[in-house]
Amino acid sequence: MDIPAHIFREYDIRGLAEEELTTKNVRAIGHAFGTILKENGVKLTTVGGDVRASSPRIMADIAWGLNAAGLDVIDLGTVMTPTFYFSLYSEGVGGGVMVTGSHNPKEFNGLKLALGKATLYGEEIQAVLSLIRKNAFHTAERPGGLGHRDMKPAYLDMLGERLALGPRRLKVVADAGNGTASLFIEPFLRRLGVDYTLLFATPDGRFPNHHPDPVKRENLVDLIRTVRETGADLGFGFDGDADRLGVVDEKGEVIWGDILMALYWQEILPKHPGAEAIVEVKSSQALVDEIKRLGGKPVFWKAGHSLIKAKMRELNALFAGEVSGHMFFADEFYGFDDAFYAAGRLLRILSHTDKKLSELMADIPLYPSTAE
């Protein structure tokens, strides 16, 4: 079968939704990945999708392919990527697929493939392409079935149980960017007991207000302005599928991912002295210095969410992150990247101190650095 090889990337499959992720191609990807899952003894999978217009069709095509290989599928509907990741732990499944274009332009979409609780990367993704080219599918005599599950209540309950805030009541601005976070952000913040102002919290896969990428300063203009106007303690920005977090302090200053990691390490390392701390190579020296000051052992590693999660499992690491805003907590969480949980951890830190966020960051050295 002729399928564009360039859409099979290092840690996901991504391309133009209507030209490259066609029904024929996506069904083949689902069938091939289903074959791999079947060979690994998997019987049940979950499939979720983001708010893009193409996601429901691509989800249906992926489910068709997985069913063709004999796998049963639980359709999660429109969910954040972290909610899909949570389903790998809560639903007794052996893998699944998240349909999301993440922070890419609206005409794109993509597939994150999970076997067990880990997302595929590198040669594992190339193996899916190889099966398609060889037409080496497992086709079941009896296709699998399709069910449905609303994960939102269980996911929000899980976060609420893990994120008890301190006595200080905080004021927050949250920019959902018209992405999938729009469906979850209000009940999440309400449950945490903070005062909040929401921006662009209507799901719209056309992203009419700004591109859902909180690493780019031009996408944080409205968040910065609203934090300053409302006198909020901080502001959060989320990418399209809510696995990456952007943060601004009470002055409207952007806190980039490596500096944010340093703040999280200030909470984690005193509880786990001498722990290995993975440092993504795009991080500044400030993160390295702070880890050493706190008694941690820096371990440099490659960028990429799947690559970092794999390294975390290898080292049994407590926490890691990326400059791009992916944060992976394994000290009190599952180890997958969840922008809501990361936001909650920052709120928890701030709710136990009278200091402003800018004051907490003031002790972390600041070095010149280029944008991500």
Side-chain angles (χ1 to χ4, degrees), residues 235-271:
F236 295 124
F238 300 92
D239 73 337
D241 61 334
D243 60 2
R244 295 193 301 131
L245 180 67
V247 178
V248 301
D249 68 16
E250 80 286 352
K251 297 178 180 179
E253 295 297 322
V254 180
I255 300 174
W256 302 115
D258 51 349
I259 305 301
L260 188 58
M261 282 182 263
L263 184 58
Y264 289 132
W265 277 122
Q266 288 179 358
E267 181 190 43
I268 296 169
L269 274 171
K271 300 175 184 177

Side-chain angles (χ1 to χ4, degrees), residues 25-318:
N25 287 347
V26 174
R27 287 185 173 185
I29 291 168
H31 201 171
F33 182 50
T35 299
I36 292 171
L37 292 173
K38 198 74 175 177
E39 290 172 350
N40 281 274
V42 176
K43 298 179 180 178
L44 181 63
T45 62
T46 50
V47 172
D50 68 14
V51 300
R52 291 165 190 261
S54 58
S55 289
R57 189 266 301 169
I58 294 173
M59 288 171 63
D61 292 336
I62 276 289
W64 185 96
L66 295 171
N67 285 160
L71 295 166
D72 292 327
V73 174
I74 301 172
D75 183 339
L76 304 177
T78 305
V79 292
M80 305 187 302
T81 292
T83 316
F84 163 74
Y85 288 152
F86 177 57
S87 77
L88 302 176
Y89 291 81
S90 68
E91 301 307 298
V93 301
V97 180
M98 178 66 193
V99 177
T100 176
S102 185
H103 60 283
N104 290 281
K106 60 185 178 182
E107 62 268 22
F108 283 82
N109 215 321
L111 308 164
K112 294 179 179 179
L113 311 179
L115 170 57
K117 296 174 176 62
T119 46
L120 271 58
Y121 66 94
E123 292 302 315
E124 297 168 327
I125 289 179
Q126 295 305 312
V128 177
L129 174 60
S130 178
L131 285 180
I132 295 170
R133 285 177 164 171
K134 294 175 182 176
N135 199 32
F137 304 112
H138 170 78
T139 301
E141 293 183 9
R142 184 175 181 179
L146 180 65
H148 299 271
R149 169 86 158 98
D150 179 6
M151 285 294 302
K152 185 176 180 179
Y155 170 74
L156 291 172
D157 285 347
M158 178 273 294
L159 290 180
E161 291 165 3
R162 292 171 180 268
L163 292 168
L165 302 192
R168 177 182 171 191
R169 189 172 180 91
L170 298 168
K171 190 173 183 180
V172 179
V173 179
D175 181 351
N178 299 112
T180 320
S182 304
L183 299 170
F184 291 78
I185 188 62
E186 187 164 18
F188 171 66
L189 293 175
R190 190 188 313 122
R191 176 151 187 169
L192 291 184
V194 300
D195 298 322
Y196 57 87
T197 300
L198 301 181
L199 297 176
F200 314 130
T202 301
D204 188 338
R206 298 168 298 177
F207 309 119
N209 292 289
H210 64 74
H211 196 58
D213 185 355
V215 173
K216 297 187 181 297
R217 190 182 293 271
E218 60 264 31
N219 299 323
L220 300 174
V221 172
D222 293 295
L223 178 62
I224 291 168
R225 175 182 51 78
T226 308
V227 166
R228 290 170 174 166
E229 288 177 352
T230 61
D233 294 295
L234 74 170
F236 295 124
F238 300 92
D239 73 337
D241 61 334
D243 60 2
R244 295 193 301 131
L245 180 67
V247 178
V248 301
D249 68 16
E250 80 286 352
K251 297 178 180 179
E253 295 297 322
V254 180
I255 300 174
W256 302 115
D258 51 349
I259 305 301
L260 188 58
M261 282 182 263
L263 184 58
Y264 289 132
W265 277 122
Q266 288 179 358
E267 181 190 43
I268 296 169
L269 274 171
K271 300 175 184 177
H272 304 274
E276 291 182 303
I278 295 171
V279 178
E280 183 237 354
V281 294
K282 288 182 289 187
S283 302
S284 73
Q285 185 67 24
L287 176 59
V288 179
D289 288 351
E290 189 65 5
I291 288 169
K292 289 180 178 178
R293 186 189 72 81
L294 294 166
K297 300 174 182 177
V299 177
F300 291 92
W301 196 240
K302 306 169 187 177
H305 67 92
S306 295
L307 304 176
I308 290 180
K309 283 183 279 191
K311 191 66 173 179
M312 287 183 70
R313 289 189 294 273
E314 176 190 331
L315 299 179
N316 198 25
L318 298 165

